[in-house]
Amino acid sequence: MEIEGPVIVSHKGEARIERGHPWVFRSDVQQDGGASPGAIVRVAGVRGEPLGFAFWSSRSEIRLRMVERGETLPEDFWRARIGRALRWRETVAAGAEAYRVVHGEGDLLPSLVVDRYRDWLAVQTLSQATERAKPEIVAALVDLLQPKGILERNDPRVRALEGLEPAVSVLHGEVPETVEVNEGDVRFRADLRRGQKTGLFLDQRENHLAARRYARGRALDCFSYDGGFALQVAHQCDEVTAVDLSAESLARLKENAAGNGLTNVTTQSVNAFDLLRALDDAGERFDTVVLDPPAFAKSRDAVEKAVRGYKEINLRALKILSPGGVLVTCSCSYHVHEDGFEAILADAAVDAGATVTVVEKRRQGRDHPVVLGVPETYYLKCFVLRRLA
């Protein structure tokens, strides 16, 4: 494997690397060493001391993504690093049919995402470096996993920051239009080409199963998508109302419910904010409420508005929650950190006049690792709350 550089970083960039953060920004690169777009490069400090190896980008504000802090890089880098990620999934995702095999920085493979749906893989190469190395990545995946097909789901907008075009195409074998997978004992149909993310919200897999443990009675699931929470809690509840603005998502939810023989799930295509307010005004009560909204804050500038949004839906959810009932509430906004989200929930409880206990604090599944000291890798917060009175 050809290594280019060295790329020289500033004292600030050097300190950032030494603290364990994998990103070095454009402003902290002093010399690019003539590196070509998407190269793997040696990284050095201002005095020439070796700092490790990184993916180089000629376009992104994130110029360097560190992949190794030592002085050598494995000869068979891609196979070795993907193989290590796969071995960890054999521990934390044993028996799962759909899970994340590679989670970017969490597996020391920044900008690479690989999701497994039984015998098929969905891959995202989100930087110049992983795009350039796509043939090696596919070869390693075929060797390690022997999939029937590999699909590139390279339609996230973040690729534009790297000067990369969107692409959804088959890289290996054949990939069907939909793949059926089990999540516990619930069967889902995943659309790998057009579904959210790579087909399903795999980062919520463990939270879906956790919610089922607490669910009972009459349930409301807001922002349902295709039923990740709704179909799990339906096994424990008398009735479930699943709410989403997308009629297409609700159609898939109905198909999934029918495929699992669930007859206690109804759907409403409506704005969840409006419905929660209307249910509160009507004095409706539920024993289980789930809130799993899309990211309200995709930038720092949006945090203030996001806080108001999270406060509103959680306030209304607690008001319609019966004493003894459980609220499972999530935020996937990285810019709203765990302590901030907990403060929002506390304020909502005060305004709802509710006494609330924290049953569990959860996060994205263990197949989506969080790197200590890299807050950007901790984005999904999930609180299980119980209303006492």
Side-chain angles (χ1 to χ4, degrees), residues 332-365:
C332 60
S333 298
Y334 151 67
H335 294 285
V336 178
H337 303 304
E338 181 186 302
D339 56 349
F341 189 49
E342 185 168 359
I344 293 168
L345 299 177
D347 287 345
V350 169
D351 288 357
T355 302
V356 176
T357 61
V358 179
V359 180
E360 281 195 66
K361 291 182 183 180
R362 304 182 60 84
R363 56 180 62 181
Q364 63 236 44

Tab-separated table of all heavy atoms in Angstrom, residues 332-365:
chain	number	residue	atom	x	y	z
A	332	CYS	N	-31.261	12.136	18.516
A	332	CYS	CA	-30.091	11.774	17.714
A	332	CYS	C	-29.339	13.016	17.249
A	332	CYS	O	-28.553	12.969	16.303
A	332	CYS	CB	-30.488	10.907	16.520
A	332	CYS	SG	-31.647	11.688	15.381
A	333	SER	N	-29.582	14.158	17.933
A	333	SER	CA	-28.869	15.402	17.626
A	333	SER	C	-27.556	15.418	18.396
A	333	SER	O	-27.556	15.547	19.622
A	333	SER	CB	-29.707	16.618	18.030
A	333	SER	OG	-30.918	16.671	17.319
A	334	TYR	N	-26.435	15.286	17.694
A	334	TYR	CA	-25.138	15.320	18.364
A	334	TYR	C	-24.957	16.613	19.156
A	334	TYR	O	-24.409	16.621	20.265
A	334	TYR	CB	-23.996	15.167	17.349
A	334	TYR	CG	-22.742	15.859	17.805
A	334	TYR	CD1	-22.052	15.377	18.926
A	334	TYR	CD2	-22.270	17.009	17.185
A	334	TYR	CE1	-20.921	16.033	19.386
A	334	TYR	CE2	-21.145	17.666	17.641
A	334	TYR	CZ	-20.472	17.172	18.741
A	334	TYR	OH	-19.360	17.834	19.213
A	335	HIS	N	-25.438	17.728	18.612
A	335	HIS	CA	-25.210	19.032	19.243
A	335	HIS	C	-26.017	19.223	20.522
A	335	HIS	O	-25.785	20.172	21.263
A	335	HIS	CB	-25.510	20.160	18.252
A	335	HIS	CG	-24.560	20.192	17.090
A	335	HIS	ND1	-23.272	20.647	17.198
A	335	HIS	CD2	-24.718	19.802	15.799
A	335	HIS	CE1	-22.659	20.543	16.026
A	335	HIS	NE2	-23.522	20.041	15.164
A	336	VAL	N	-26.984	18.350	20.779
A	336	VAL	CA	-27.680	18.338	22.070
A	336	VAL	C	-27.094	17.172	22.856
A	336	VAL	O	-27.418	16.018	22.620
A	336	VAL	CB	-29.205	18.183	21.898
A	336	VAL	CG1	-29.893	18.123	23.254
A	336	VAL	CG2	-29.761	19.339	21.076
A	337	HIS	N	-26.200	17.482	23.792
A	337	HIS	CA	-25.470	16.447	24.509
A	337	HIS	C	-26.337	15.808	25.594
A	337	HIS	O	-27.416	16.312	25.928
A	337	HIS	CB	-24.185	17.015	25.092
A	337	HIS	CG	-23.285	17.629	24.064
A	337	HIS	ND1	-22.835	16.937	22.968
A	337	HIS	CD2	-22.780	18.889	23.944
A	337	HIS	CE1	-22.080	17.725	22.229
A	337	HIS	NE2	-22.036	18.922	22.795
A	338	GLU	N	-25.840	14.715	26.155
A	338	GLU	CA	-26.647	13.943	27.104
A	338	GLU	C	-27.105	14.784	28.291
A	338	GLU	O	-28.279	14.746	28.678
A	338	GLU	CB	-25.873	12.729	27.611
A	338	GLU	CG	-26.678	11.872	28.579
A	338	GLU	CD	-25.876	10.754	29.184
A	338	GLU	OE1	-25.350	9.926	28.429
A	338	GLU	OE2	-25.779	10.713	30.430
A	339	ASP	N	-26.179	15.574	28.873
A	339	ASP	CA	-26.575	16.375	30.028
A	339	ASP	C	-27.590	17.434	29.652
A	339	ASP	O	-28.510	17.742	30.416
A	339	ASP	CB	-25.357	16.992	30.713
A	339	ASP	CG	-24.503	17.828	29.778
A	339	ASP	OD1	-24.727	17.784	28.544
A	339	ASP	OD2	-23.596	18.529	30.264
A	340	GLY	N	-27.442	17.993	28.444
A	340	GLY	CA	-28.416	18.971	27.972
A	340	GLY	C	-29.773	18.355	27.732
A	340	GLY	O	-30.811	18.950	28.052
A	341	PHE	N	-29.780	17.145	27.176
A	341	PHE	CA	-31.048	16.456	26.930
A	341	PHE	C	-31.726	16.106	28.246
A	341	PHE	O	-32.946	16.259	28.403
A	341	PHE	CB	-30.788	15.192	26.100
A	341	PHE	CG	-32.034	14.514	25.600
A	341	PHE	CD1	-33.036	15.221	24.955
A	341	PHE	CD2	-32.203	13.144	25.759
A	341	PHE	CE1	-34.185	14.599	24.486
A	341	PHE	CE2	-33.336	12.500	25.294
A	341	PHE	CZ	-34.328	13.232	24.660
A	342	GLU	N	-30.946	15.659	29.229
A	342	GLU	CA	-31.516	15.348	30.535
A	342	GLU	C	-32.118	16.597	31.186
A	342	GLU	O	-33.181	16.532	31.817
A	342	GLU	CB	-30.458	14.742	31.451
A	342	GLU	CG	-31.014	14.289	32.783
A	342	GLU	CD	-30.044	13.435	33.570
A	342	GLU	OE1	-28.925	13.164	33.082
A	342	GLU	OE2	-30.412	13.013	34.685
A	343	ALA	N	-31.455	17.746	31.011
A	343	ALA	CA	-31.994	18.996	31.564
A	343	ALA	C	-33.314	19.364	30.894
A	343	ALA	O	-34.244	19.851	31.555
A	343	ALA	CB	-30.972	20.124	31.387
A	344	ILE	N	-33.415	19.127	29.590
A	344	ILE	CA	-34.669	19.374	28.873
A	344	ILE	C	-35.783	18.504	29.451
A	344	ILE	O	-36.907	18.973	29.687
A	344	ILE	CB	-34.494	19.092	27.367
A	344	ILE	CG1	-33.544	20.107	26.731
A	344	ILE	CG2	-35.848	19.113	26.650
A	344	ILE	CD1	-33.094	19.718	25.328
A	345	LEU	N	-35.470	17.239	29.675
A	345	LEU	CA	-36.476	16.315	30.218
A	345	LEU	C	-36.897	16.725	31.626
A	345	LEU	O	-38.086	16.635	31.982
A	345	LEU	CB	-35.923	14.892	30.221
A	345	LEU	CG	-35.546	14.309	28.845
A	345	LEU	CD1	-34.948	12.926	28.994
A	345	LEU	CD2	-36.752	14.280	27.914
A	346	ALA	N	-35.942	17.187	32.418
A	346	ALA	CA	-36.278	17.644	33.773
A	346	ALA	C	-37.194	18.855	33.726
A	346	ALA	O	-38.175	18.945	34.485
A	346	ALA	CB	-34.999	17.959	34.541
A	347	ASP	N	-36.902	19.801	32.829
A	347	ASP	CA	-37.764	20.978	32.683
A	347	ASP	C	-39.157	20.573	32.213
A	347	ASP	O	-40.169	21.120	32.674
A	347	ASP	CB	-37.145	21.956	31.678
A	347	ASP	CG	-35.933	22.680	32.238
A	347	ASP	OD1	-35.737	22.651	33.475
A	347	ASP	OD2	-35.184	23.282	31.445
A	348	ALA	N	-39.221	19.615	31.284
A	348	ALA	CA	-40.514	19.157	30.786
A	348	ALA	C	-41.328	18.521	31.909
A	348	ALA	O	-42.550	18.725	32.009
A	348	ALA	CB	-40.310	18.161	29.645
A	349	ALA	N	-40.667	17.754	32.760
A	349	ALA	CA	-41.368	17.107	33.880
A	349	ALA	C	-41.929	18.148	34.844
A	349	ALA	O	-43.064	18.023	35.327
A	349	ALA	CB	-40.420	16.161	34.610
A	350	VAL	N	-41.144	19.205	35.127
A	350	VAL	CA	-41.617	20.271	36.012
A	350	VAL	C	-42.862	20.929	35.432
A	350	VAL	O	-43.883	21.108	36.115
A	350	VAL	CB	-40.510	21.312	36.248
A	350	VAL	CG1	-41.077	22.555	36.945
A	350	VAL	CG2	-39.380	20.715	37.078
A	351	ASP	N	-42.797	21.276	34.140
A	351	ASP	CA	-43.926	21.965	33.512
A	351	ASP	C	-45.138	21.046	33.362
A	351	ASP	O	-46.275	21.527	33.307
A	351	ASP	CB	-43.510	22.511	32.144
A	351	ASP	CG	-42.572	23.696	32.262
A	351	ASP	OD1	-42.288	24.121	33.405
A	351	ASP	OD2	-42.096	24.201	31.223
A	352	ALA	N	-44.896	19.740	33.297
A	352	ALA	CA	-46.008	18.790	33.200
A	352	ALA	C	-46.596	18.478	34.567
A	352	ALA	O	-47.628	17.800	34.656
A	352	ALA	CB	-45.539	17.498	32.535
A	353	GLY	N	-45.944	18.957	35.621
A	353	GLY	CA	-46.405	18.650	36.968
A	353	GLY	C	-46.260	17.182	37.298
A	353	GLY	O	-47.074	16.613	38.033
A	354	ALA	N	-45.207	16.557	36.758
A	354	ALA	CA	-45.020	15.113	36.903
A	354	ALA	C	-43.786	14.806	37.737
A	354	ALA	O	-42.755	15.473	37.612
A	354	ALA	CB	-44.881	14.465	35.521
A	355	THR	N	-43.884	13.785	38.572
A	355	THR	CA	-42.726	13.235	39.273
A	355	THR	C	-42.224	12.056	38.456
A	355	THR	O	-42.966	11.100	38.218
A	355	THR	CB	-43.103	12.783	40.692
A	355	THR	OG1	-43.637	13.892	41.414
A	355	THR	CG2	-41.884	12.244	41.424
A	356	VAL	N	-40.965	12.140	38.039
A	356	VAL	CA	-40.448	11.189	37.047
A	356	VAL	C	-39.141	10.584	37.541
A	356	VAL	O	-38.286	11.291	38.086
A	356	VAL	CB	-40.218	11.899	35.692
A	356	VAL	CG1	-39.592	10.955	34.678
A	356	VAL	CG2	-41.535	12.452	35.152
A	357	THR	N	-38.982	9.284	37.357
A	357	THR	CA	-37.711	8.624	37.659
A	357	THR	C	-37.035	8.190	36.362
A	357	THR	O	-37.692	7.931	35.350
A	357	THR	CB	-37.902	7.386	38.554
A	357	THR	OG1	-38.730	6.429	37.873
A	357	THR	CG2	-38.543	7.758	39.878
A	358	VAL	N	-35.703	8.134	36.419
A	358	VAL	CA	-34.915	7.642	35.288
A	358	VAL	C	-34.708	6.145	35.477
A	358	VAL	O	-34.042	5.713	36.424
A	358	VAL	CB	-33.564	8.361	35.185
A	358	VAL	CG1	-32.747	7.803	34.016
A	358	VAL	CG2	-33.762	9.869	35.023
A	359	VAL	N	-35.278	5.363	34.591
A	359	VAL	CA	-35.148	3.908	34.655
A	359	VAL	C	-33.831	3.461	34.012
A	359	VAL	O	-33.090	2.656	34.560
A	359	VAL	CB	-36.339	3.226	33.964
A	359	VAL	CG1	-36.207	1.707	34.015
A	359	VAL	CG2	-37.653	3.672	34.588
A	360	GLU	N	-33.550	4.018	32.842
A	360	GLU	CA	-32.320	3.700	32.125
A	360	GLU	C	-31.866	4.902	31.325
A	360	GLU	O	-32.688	5.669	30.809
A	360	GLU	CB	-32.523	2.544	31.137
A	360	GLU	CG	-32.531	1.156	31.707
A	360	GLU	CD	-32.356	0.113	30.602
A	360	GLU	OE1	-31.267	0.069	29.986
A	360	GLU	OE2	-33.310	-0.635	30.347
A	361	LYS	N	-30.554	5.063	31.196
A	361	LYS	CA	-29.956	5.947	30.201
A	361	LYS	C	-29.264	5.048	29.186
A	361	LYS	O	-28.378	4.276	29.537
A	361	LYS	CB	-28.916	6.882	30.830
A	361	LYS	CG	-29.455	7.934	31.758
A	361	LYS	CD	-28.297	8.792	32.259
A	361	LYS	CE	-28.759	9.831	33.257
A	361	LYS	NZ	-27.632	10.668	33.736
A	362	ARG	N	-29.675	5.168	27.935
A	362	ARG	CA	-29.142	4.318	26.895
A	362	ARG	C	-28.540	5.174	25.791
A	362	ARG	O	-28.662	6.397	25.798
A	362	ARG	CB	-30.243	3.401	26.340
A	362	ARG	CG	-30.931	2.549	27.423
A	362	ARG	CD	-31.971	1.629	26.811
A	362	ARG	NE	-31.358	0.731	25.847
A	362	ARG	CZ	-30.766	-0.422	26.167
A	362	ARG	NH1	-30.722	-0.833	27.416
A	362	ARG	NH2	-30.239	-1.192	25.234
A	363	ARG	N	-27.898	4.543	24.849
A	363	ARG	CA	-27.309	5.251	23.712
A	363	ARG	C	-27.397	4.358	22.485
A	363	ARG	O	-28.102	3.352	22.489
A	363	ARG	CB	-25.864	5.650	24.012
A	363	ARG	CG	-24.959	4.476	24.412
A	363	ARG	CD	-23.543	4.923	24.708
A	363	ARG	NE	-23.474	5.856	25.821
A	363	ARG	CZ	-22.354	6.407	26.271
A	363	ARG	NH1	-21.192	6.104	25.694
A	363	ARG	NH2	-22.362	7.240	27.285
A	364	GLN	N	-26.706	4.739	21.424
A	364	GLN	CA	-26.697	3.907	20.227
A	364	GLN	C	-26.168	2.521	20.560
A	364	GLN	O	-25.419	2.340	21.533
A	364	GLN	CB	-25.837	4.555	19.144
A	364	GLN	CG	-24.358	4.694	19.496
A	364	GLN	CD	-23.867	6.116	19.385
A	364	GLN	OE1	-24.519	7.045	19.810
A	364	GLN	NE2	-22.685	6.291	18.793
A	365	GLY	N	-26.542	1.537	19.741
A	365	GLY	CA	-26.156	0.161	20.008
A	365	GLY	C	-24.652	-0.021	20.079
A	365	GLY	O	-23.868	0.780	19.544
